Amino acid sequence: MIVELDKTDFSKCRELLNEQGQLEAKAVVERINPGRIFVDNRDNPSSGLIWLGNNDGFVFFGSEQNEEFNNELNDLIDHVIIPEAKKVQLKWFEGVGNHEKWNPIIASVFKHRHLGSWLQRVYTLQQGDYKGDTIPIMNHEYELYKISATLLENKDHSINNMGFLQSKIGEFWSSTDIFLNKGMGYCIIHRHEIVSTCISGFVAANVHGIDIETIEAHQGKNLAQTLAHHYVQECITNNWIAYWDCMDMNKPSVAVAEKVGFRNRFNYTGYEFSF
């Protein structure tokens, strides 16, 4: 029977994770970022499923040859995941394997659910890779700020849409205090509005996963590239590894990553079906 682990037991899954797998899985298991974990055995798990706390997906980890676990996955989806997902208006199941041996298992277990798939690219950047000469010149109408407690408090109400930044942080972190303690980020402000953000999404050990978003009206102005440079510079200063995970079809994101100096370390397949 598949059971949900208490957060105090997440460490039991540590040895089951693929060292070369997704940062998100490590961040949840280490309880840095929020998430839920379902396993085959509460005391001695061998297979599991992580539900990322930002509702952005599920990660299958551990042994993919656990037939009892695999046979119960559809019941878990139907009777636990879907009812919970509907409460938060989540309409899609997006799952990935923590190692590639999960791919045929996922495809087989969910073959009756009109399964789709896509490719993800994972990039990392370490000090010797950084291309500091590609930083763009930003239009004078834009101002760049490091995200701080003072900025978030917005006591003078100079920022009209602080909710945009707060919601971005809330997607990944249990609180802004934890974000400021474990992660970091930058934003760009245009006429009292935050128009682009770059923050640590998931963090584990010294690896910081980048999340970048630019409001549509301000896209195409190199804001994401500017933010990525400042983010990477801070990572280098602190001996952190910057980690960038994006869809293969997201050509603008891929282009920004490669311009700054990120190197493609591995790719993985994602699978999806609607609820």
Side-chain angles (χ1 to χ4, degrees), residues 1-7 9-14 16-17 29 36-51 59-63 66 68-70 72-73 76 80-81 102:
M1 180 178 178
I2 297 178
V3 295
E4 182 170 1
L5 273 185
D6 186 271
K7 288 180 170 57
D9 291 326
F10 280 11
S11 60
K12 293 177 180 179
C13 302
R14 193 175 286 147
L16 298 177
L17 294 182
V29 168
R36 300 169 67 179
I37 301 180
F38 302 87
V39 294
D40 63 320
N41 185 295
R42 195 184 308 278
D43 298 316
N44 187 28
S46 61
S47 304
L49 177 66
I50 296 171
W51 188 353
V59 183
F60 295 86
F61 68 94
S63 172
N66 188 338
E68 184 177 357
F69 178 80
N70 296 345
E72 293 177 0
L73 281 170
L76 176 71
V80 178
I81 302 298
W102 271 107

Side-chain angles (χ1 to χ4, degrees), residues 139-157:
N139 187 295
H140 70 276
E141 293 184 353
Y142 295 97
E143 295 180 286
L144 183 140
Y145 290 86
K146 183 174 179 179
I147 299 170
S148 64
T150 301
L151 180 80
L152 287 166
E153 286 170 4
N154 193 30
K155 286 185 176 178
D156 61 358
H157 304 289

Side-chain angles (χ1 to χ4, degrees), residues 18 38 42 52 58 112 188 269:
N18 173 15
F38 302 87
R42 195 184 308 278
L52 301 179
F58 299 79
H112 63 292
I188 291 175
T269 303

